[in-house]
Amino acid sequence: MSKENSNLRRFDASRNRISFIGNNVFHKGLVFLKEVDLYYNNLEVFEPWPYIPMISKYSNKRMSFNLQFNQISRFSNTMGWTMTKEPNVEVNLTHNRLRYFRTENVSQYLAGRIPTIFDIGVMGIVVRKNPWFCDCGFYYLLMQFIDTFYYSMAEGFMTCDSPREFKGYNFSYFFDHPDQLICNITERCPADCKCQDRPHDGYILVDCSRSGEYTDLPQTVPPGPLFLQLSHNKISSLSHKDYLQNITRLDVSSNNILLLEDSFLEKVPSLEYIDIRNNNLKTLPSKIQTFRVSSVKFSGNPLVCSCDTIWINDWIRRNSENMSFDSLSHHLCYHNGRHLRLVDVTWNSLVCYRDIAIIVSVVLGVLLLILIICTVVCCKRKYECKVLMYDYFRVHPFDHASCDKADDATKRHDVYISIDRENEDIRLWVKDKLLKQLEKQKKSRPVYKVYYPCRQDDFGDSIADQMVENIKKGRRVLAIVNSSYVKNGWSIEEFDFAHRLMEETKSGRLLVLIHGDLDLSTVTQEPLKTYLSGRQCLNVSDRWLWRKLRYELPQRTRNNTRESLTYGFSSSHASLSESSGISENQMDNPDFVTTDVV
């Protein structure tokens, strides 16, 4: 229709054979158009071209499109029209072939939005006297009418033509029977089963009951929340399926199920109801306690009364407020050849205390065995056990020395280190490993006061005198023995003096640490030979070296801040002395002044 016809007020093309109308026939320029008659034609599809003319919505009369007695069976929108404002149009589609109502029929004109009854009313579509098939598609429309002023219009809104049981029923009939609006589903429906979309119940029913062919859950089912009915089949176990999370109701009664596992119930988180009556279950899964008893049907199973199933009694009692006596009487179990009501089964009736006594005896027996094993291990590895006790619990039983008392003013050092001073490898190991372990502040270990002659001896004084004086001031002497130590006369002399002093005064301990490979057959000097062969010696290769060393050294707290600060100053003092060539005694002298010390 060209723009020359923009003044057109009425268009009549009725009683022809028109089967198609182009999208541009009715355009926006037809502002005076009031009436279009296209009845008794052959139109098959409804396109939204009646809404294109821009007639004012304030007009006294709505624009009328009469499309009665055509062959229209579906709605389409190839022109891509979207309703953005309320149109002032009435479209009469009575006496056509519209059959199925689906929300997408209207949502395609609303940019995909789910339509309301108001949207349908605004579009002015009259769809009475069509051969409507009343199924689940009407349920959404029914819910739209409820609690609105359109409720009174429902009686004349639509009339059912099929299915046969609803033929001639008005739309208003379903206000009292919404559960009868269902859709049969064939896609993905298992063989010999009936599948229905039941929107009023909120699930898709998959009814395979009484087929007698199923030995497991079906492989495929329609998508959506499911009520799976599989009663009177040959199912012996319930295996995993991809759709388990969609099952809300499950009926597997009258099958051959031997065991229902907790793992299966964990895979059906949406399950609200389960019927497992008349199977061969001897017990119930503990996960069943998450359901109310009224949501679980389990009578007719040969349940066994045992101490392991006492919880079933508690579960039934907790959830039996609204259950009748007859209902409770159906829940039975077998014990010694007779039936018992599950609500009557107790610890006393089954003498379960004997089982408790057996369990307690077994537990005590296991604990006793563990205690015996621990005792044997402690006796065979007594020293290692004491080291562990000290490392984890700071417990140091029966190994205290009188010289370890904090108030012993004669003892200024925790440990005096004796080495072969000419061995450079030993000196590097002491500097890089040993001193860092003993002197470095760390939350997980104590800090010790160490006297290391290579670092702290005064160069101007007699080495022998300093050795004697500082060994006497030490609570421990740690001799680091290697192949060169046993050949060094001064080292052996230092060891002998430490041994004599400890034996005579009982004022300290002499510890031996073996470093590297040492052939004991080459050691002939006493008492070093006796120490190496008959006493507990530490070894650098021992993975417990630092634990054992801390156990043997005097006890120190892990966070003794004051001692750490004091020792830190003394170590810096000694390092400065060593690097500058100035003795500690000189640095302690208040009259001594030095310059250019780096």
Side-chain angles (χ1 to χ4, degrees), residues 189-205:
C189 187
D192 301 321
C193 299
K194 177 178 67 177
C195 298
Q196 294 179 335
D197 185 356
R198 306 178 68 92
H200 179 70
D201 298 318
Y203 54 70
I204 294 174
L205 174 65

Side-chain angles (χ1 to χ4, degrees), residues 21 113 118 146 152 201 246 257-258 261 363 496 502 594:
I21 295 178
R113 177 171 56 84
F118 177 76
I146 293 177
S152 59
D201 298 318
N246 294 333
I257 299 175
L258 299 172
E261 298 181 346
V363 171
D496 291 345
M502 303 306 175
T594 183

Side-chain angles (χ1 to χ4, degrees), residues 414 438-442 445-449 556-558 560 563-564 567:
D414 291 321
L438 299 183
E439 296 181 336
K440 189 174 181 180
Q441 179 71 32
K442 192 173 182 181
R445 63 193 185 201
V447 173
Y448 299 95
K449 298 177 181 178
R556 286 284 177 267
T557 59
R558 293 182 178 181
N560 194 331
E563 289 190 4
S564 300
Y567 178 74

Side-chain angles (χ1 to χ4, degrees), residues 183-244:
C183 288
N184 291 319
I185 302 174
T186 57
E187 187 177 358
R188 297 180 63 86
C189 187
D192 301 321
C193 299
K194 177 178 67 177
C195 298
Q196 294 179 335
D197 185 356
R198 306 178 68 92
H200 179 70
D201 298 318
Y203 54 70
I204 294 174
L205 174 65
V206 179
D207 187 357
C208 305
S209 58
R210 300 188 180 277
S211 73
E213 298 297 326
Y214 284 91
T215 58
D216 196 358
L217 301 180
Q219 291 295 329
T220 61
V221 294
L226 299 171
F227 181 3
L228 201 54
Q229 287 188 335
L230 286 159
S231 62
H232 298 88
N233 277 282
K234 300 176 182 179
I235 299 173
S236 59
S237 63
L238 301 176
S239 61
H240 173 73
K241 295 291 184 291
D242 293 337
Y243 57 81
L244 290 184

Side-chain angles (χ1 to χ4, degrees), residues 162-429:
S162 55
R164 185 170 53 185
E165 62 268 25
F166 298 142
K167 186 175 180 63
Y169 282 36
N170 290 325
F171 183 71
S172 58
Y173 165 80
F174 296 103
F175 281 110
D176 297 322
H177 307 89
D179 57 315
Q180 296 183 21
L181 290 173
I182 61 176
C183 288
N184 291 319
I185 302 174
T186 57
E187 187 177 358
R188 297 180 63 86
C189 187
D192 301 321
C193 299
K194 177 178 67 177
C195 298
Q196 294 179 335
D197 185 356
R198 306 178 68 92
H200 179 70
D201 298 318
Y203 54 70
I204 294 174
L205 174 65
V206 179
D207 187 357
C208 305
S209 58
R210 300 188 180 277
S211 73
E213 298 297 326
Y214 284 91
T215 58
D216 196 358
L217 301 180
Q219 291 295 329
T220 61
V221 294
L226 299 171
F227 181 3
L228 201 54
Q229 287 188 335
L230 286 159
S231 62
H232 298 88
N233 277 282
K234 300 176 182 179
I235 299 173
S236 59
S237 63
L238 301 176
S239 61
H240 173 73
K241 295 291 184 291
D242 293 337
Y243 57 81
L244 290 184
Q245 69 275 8
N246 294 333
I247 298 178
T248 59
R249 299 171 66 86
L250 178 64
D251 182 354
V252 287
S253 59
S254 300
N255 278 275
N256 301 318
I257 299 175
L258 299 172
L259 179 64
L260 180 61
E261 298 181 346
D262 284 328
S263 58
F264 176 81
L265 293 180
E266 290 173 353
K267 295 172 183 176
V268 282
S270 302
L271 191 64
E272 300 172 353
Y273 170 88
I274 183 170
D275 189 344
I276 50 176
R277 290 174 295 177
N278 304 318
N279 278 282
N280 293 317
L281 295 169
K282 293 184 178 181
T283 186
L284 297 178
S286 59
K287 286 285 184 182
I288 210 78
Q289 297 177 80
T290 59
F291 296 83
R292 295 190 62 82
V293 176
S294 58
S295 299
V296 181
K297 306 297 182 184
F298 62 93
S299 60
N301 282 283
L303 298 177
V304 176
C305 307
S306 70
C307 299
D308 295 331
T309 58
I310 291 293
W311 63 266
I312 301 179
N313 176 305
D314 298 332
W315 172 56
I316 293 175
R317 289 182 178 277
R318 288 196 310 268
N319 296 276
S320 61
E321 312 85 43
N322 300 322
M323 298 181 66
S324 65
F325 177 81
D326 291 339
S327 298
L328 294 176
S329 300
H330 293 157
H331 299 142
L332 305 175
C333 64
Y334 293 90
H335 182 65
N336 292 334
R338 61 193 182 98
H339 293 84
L340 298 177
R341 291 195 315 159
L342 278 168
V343 291
D344 297 331
V345 175
T346 63
W347 291 86
N348 289 330
S349 64
L350 297 181
V351 198
C352 288
Y353 296 106
R354 179 182 60 188
D355 293 344
I356 294 177
I358 293 174
I359 293 173
V360 171
S361 300
V362 171
V363 171
L364 291 177
V366 172
L367 292 176
L368 180 61
L369 179 61
I370 293 174
L371 181 61
I372 292 174
I373 293 174
C374 291
T375 302
V376 171
V377 171
C378 290
C379 290
K380 288 186 173 293
R381 306 299 298 267
K382 181 178 179 181
Y383 179 71
E384 284 77 6
C385 290
K386 290 195 295 183
V387 170
L388 282 178
M389 288 286 289
Y390 178 73
D391 189 56
Y392 285 106
F393 306 109
R394 316 308 291 169
V395 177
H396 209 312
F398 314 117
D399 286 340
H400 292 290
S402 58
C403 63
D404 291 346
K405 296 179 180 179
D407 57 356
D408 188 350
T410 63
K411 301 297 183 181
R412 295 184 58 187
H413 316 304
D414 291 321
V415 58
Y416 177 95
I417 298 178
S418 172
I419 64 170
D420 174 13
R421 304 185 188 188
E422 297 177 3
N423 191 314
E424 183 178 355
D425 292 337
I426 293 295
R427 292 202 310 271
L428 288 174
W429 183 83

